[in-house]
Structure formats: structure tokens, C-alpha cells
Amino acid sequence: MNHSVSLKHLHTFGIAVTAKEYVAFSDEKMLQSLTPVSAPYLVLGGGSNLLFTKDYKGLILHNKIQGIDCVEEDEKSVLLRIGGGVVWHELVLWVLEKGYGGIENLSLIPGSVGAAPVQNIGAYGVEIKDVFDRLEAVHLQTGKIETFSKKACDFGYRDSVFKRQLKGQYCICRVWLRLSKKARINTSYGVINDVLAQADLPLTIQSVSKAVIQIRQRKLPDPATLGNSGSFFKNPIISLSKFSTLKLQFPDMPFYPVGDKSVKLAAGWIIDKLGWKGYRKGDAGVHRHQALVLVNYGNAKGMEIWNLAKAIQASVFDVFGVVLETEVNIL
Ligand code: EPU
């Protein structure tokens, strides 16, 4: 166990904070030997969905479990077992090389495989739940390894049971994904087709991945050069009646129906409309190409980013009457 460890390079926002204690583990046994873990503690993967507003006064458990194994295969699909510490995009590249489809739309999402189910990562019309089979997690008090089916994970939009009832209780160690050998390409997100057509690329999983990478690189800052945690807020889901009123006021507002009673709004569009895009105060800012992404220009304090986030939430509530929830975990 290490003491007073800098977290600046262990999370994508790049905030200069320290953790009181830190331990990395590369298999379940190592993790089990640390149980019962005394609070406060935090399981860390790629650190791509966190904002530290102060030094962390507890123990960081850093998941470094590696390995991608094919555990079942038939003519249509493969079942992969993946270590929670595998970098998500490295998994995507590995499966593309083998020709397995299903997660090409999730190319270049920062973070680790173990963290991916917690918030049901999603992009360009696909979520991890679409290919998810099961996962194994260690209970951090009993040390027992437990299996969670897709149903038990209770996935929702950027949501799962691990963000709600079971928050903080488990560490996800292995994830099983079922991928397809026969490409079922999803270009429901129109901009993918536009990029493929412009570049005259064929409709393959590899080219869809290339298109997604291009779109992401155009809009989203690379955490290696500009600290950020992707979308800072969730896209808000509001009632149809509230939407009808807003639509009269903002006729060009993008929206996505959710069932027949609710509508999802584009938080990025709303924040942009309010003039925040490109805003900067000190080293805390709103990304100039995507208003949903808050950025650290170098030496921002976590509290500065958080104060900016709160100012954005207040202005959105003032004008749109909509509550913006954070997607990022605030610590
Ligand atoms: N928009 C603006 N101005 C902006 C940003 C967006 O007008 O500054 C408009 C866009 O033109 C578009 C709409 O808002 O009409 C939606 O924008 P975009 O397609 O960029 O997607 P998003 O809703 O902002 C979501 C996810 C992203 C994911 C993309 C693509 C959430 C919170 N975010 O963003 O996920 O990559 O869709 O599927 O659901 C993440 O979770 O970290 C993340 C980056």
C-alpha cells in the first residue's frame, strides 16, 4: 500500500489532488486479501468519469486485471471474458482486428472495461448493454465473487444498479461480452453515414470505427492533451407536456422521443444556446467544440470546475426550467 499518492495522472481531468492511500491489484485474489475494505474507498479504473474537488481522504483500489479470452465460439458469435483493468479502446481495437462486431460504435471511449457497465457506456446508437452477457464482481466487505446477469445489472441510460442500490459495494473484475461474427452495422446515428460517404468508405465494422473515431476527435478533446471527463452532464429526460411548451419557445431545439411520454433533450445544445461554449475562467472551461464537455486547461482546481458546472446548471434551470444532472462522479 502506498501513502499520499498523486492522482493527477490517474484520472482524465488531470486535477492535482492526492489520495491518502493507494493500492493496485492485478487479480481477484489480491483484491480479496484487502477485504473487508474500510470506508472511505474508491475503485478506480481509467479514471475517466471523475471530478476530484479535494484530496481523497481514503483508499484508492486501482483495478489492473488484464486479459481478453474467448470462452465460447459458434458460427455466429463469440463470448469474450475480459479483465476489468483492460483499457476499453484497446479491447475495441483487439475485436476489430479479429473481425468481431458489436462495439465498433463505442470506439475511443476513454476508461476501462470494468467501469464500462457501471454507467452503461454508450455512443452513436449503441450501449454496452447491447452486447453484455454477464460480469463478475468482488463484494468489498465479504470478499465473495458474485455473478451479475444483464437483468441483475438493470441497465438504463448512463445507469446501472452499480450507480444506485449497490453503489460502492462491489468491484467489477471481469466482464463477458457476446460479439457477432456477422456484422450488424448500426448507422442509426446519421453522421456516421455522412462520414463514410464523404470518405468513400465501405460499410464494415472497421470503417464504422474509423468514422466514429473521426467524429469523436472532431468534437471531443483528447484527455492526453486537455483534461476532461467526456460529457459532464446527462442529457435531461423531460415530460412530453413540458417539452411542448419549450418547443414553442425554442423551435430548433434537438430532441429524441423516449417511449411515448418523455423526451430526451440535448444538454450540449442547451448549454451552447446559453452562450457557454468556449467560456473560460482561469483554467476551467467549456470545450469550444462541444458544450457538454468541461475542460481543465492545465492547473484548474476541482472546485473551479465544479463551480463552473453549478453556474451552468443554474443558468439552464433559469431559462429552460430543466435540471441538469451530472454524468461525472463528483468527489
Ligand atoms: N449540440 C450543439 N452544441 C454543442 C453540443 C451539441 O448544438 O455544443 C447539438 C448537436 O448539434 C446535436 C445535439 O446537440 O444536435 C447532440 O449532440 P451530440 O450528437 O454531440 O451528442 P450529445 O447528446 O451531446 C451524447 C453522449 C456522448 C456520445 C454522443 C454520441 C450523453 C450525456 N452524451 O452526447 O457521450 O458520444 O451522444 O452518441 O449522453 C460521454 O458520455 O462522455 C459522451 C461523450
Side-chain angles (χ1 to χ4, degrees):
M1 191 159 319
N2 296 305
H3 299 273
S4 196
V5 171
S6 166
L7 296 174
K8 188 168 168 74
H9 300 292
L10 294 178
H11 74 296
T12 60
F13 241 126
I15 308 283
V17 284
T18 57
K20 189 168 167 220
E21 291 171 322
Y22 169 95
V23 64
F25 55 93
S26 52
D27 60 32
E28 287 83 343
K29 277 215 173 74
M30 259 176 100
L31 176 60
Q32 286 170 311
S33 73
L34 299 165
T35 60
V37 186
S38 340
Y41 56 80
L42 173 74
V43 177
L44 182 69
S48 59
N49 211 33
L50 296 170
L51 175 67
F52 289 101
T53 57
K54 49 185 176 301
D55 286 336
Y56 189 69
K57 301 280 183 232
L59 168 65
I60 300 279
L61 297 158
H62 199 173
N63 187 347
K64 300 246 176 157
I65 301 176
Q66 297 301 308
I68 307 175
D69 304 299
C70 180
V71 290
E72 253 175 59
E73 178 164 10
D74 58 29
E75 68 282 5
K76 283 198 199 132
S77 69
V78 286
L79 184 64
L80 301 181
R81 184 182 77 142
I82 310 132
V86 171
V87 171
W88 176 265
H89 187 59
E90 281 171 18
L91 169 69
V92 175
L93 294 177
W94 189 94
V95 305
L96 286 172
E97 164 86 27
K98 304 268 182 211
Y100 305 148
I103 54 173
E104 56 280 1
N105 294 42
L106 305 180
S107 295
L108 214 61
I109 294 189
S112 63
V113 168
V118 176
Q119 59 150 343
N120 183 24
I121 58 165
Y124 308 104
V126 174
E127 293 178 328
I128 192 177
K129 78 162 175 25
D130 304 331
V131 293
F132 182 88
D133 184 79
R134 62 184 189 272
L135 64 77
E136 266 180 14
V138 167
H139 191 277
L140 294 170
Q141 295 313 311
T142 64
K144 277 202 186 121
I145 298 180
E146 295 176 36
T147 301
F148 291 80
S149 65
K150 182 164 163 174
K151 187 159 185 280
C153 292
D154 196 17
F155 292 118
Y157 164 58
R158 293 295 190 279
D159 197 32
S160 77
V161 72
F162 300 104
K163 276 180 91 171
R164 287 177 270 112
Q165 297 93 310
L166 304 183
K167 191 174 163 105
Q169 294 184 33
Y170 288 87
C171 170
I172 297 172
C173 291
R174 312 251 172 200
V175 177
W176 278 253
L177 301 181
R178 187 169 293 281
L179 300 181
S180 167
K181 287 173 146 185
K182 311 236 152 91
R184 261 176 303 164
I185 286 167
N186 180 335
T187 55
S188 57
Y189 214 90
V191 67
I192 295 183
N193 280 324
D194 301 344
V195 172
L196 291 177
Q198 264 165 28
D200 201 20
L201 287 168
L203 212 54
T204 63
I205 53 174
Q206 288 79 10
S207 55
V208 168
S209 168
K210 279 202 186 105
V212 167
I213 289 175
Q214 218 185 87
I215 300 163
R216 289 188 74 95
Q217 284 177 337
R218 221 158 46 198
K219 285 189 166 185
L220 299 167
D222 176 0
T225 50
L226 186 59
N228 75 93
S229 279
S231 299
F232 196 90
F233 303 102
K234 288 201 226 176
N235 283 329
I237 297 174
I238 62 167
S239 69
L240 203 54
S241 61
K242 164 113 187 125
F243 169 71
S244 314
T245 323
L246 278 177
K247 188 75 184 154
L248 292 175
Q249 218 182 328
F250 304 100
D252 56 338
M253 177 171 70
F255 63 96
Y256 320 94
V258 178
D260 27 284
K261 292 209 181 75
S262 313
V263 175
K264 196 196 268 182
L265 302 181
W269 182 90
I270 295 178
I271 298 167
D272 189 357
K273 184 88 185 164
L274 292 170
W276 286 103
K277 188 144 99 181
Y279 173 91
R280 176 170 178 175
K281 186 175 177 193
D283 271 356
V286 179
H287 187 47
R288 66 170 81 93
H289 302 306
Q290 199 348 335
L292 198 49
V293 178
L294 302 191
V295 293
N296 169 14
Y297 283 99
N299 294 310
K301 298 231 174 339
M303 267 323 270
E304 291 172 322
I305 305 269
W306 184 221
N307 285 336
L308 171 59
K310 286 192 288 191
I312 292 171
Q313 282 172 322
S315 89
V316 169
F317 188 73
D318 257 12
V319 179
F320 285 79
V322 168
V323 175
L324 278 194
E325 280 177 38
T326 60
E327 196 211 86
V328 169
N329 293 306
I330 315 296
L331 286 159

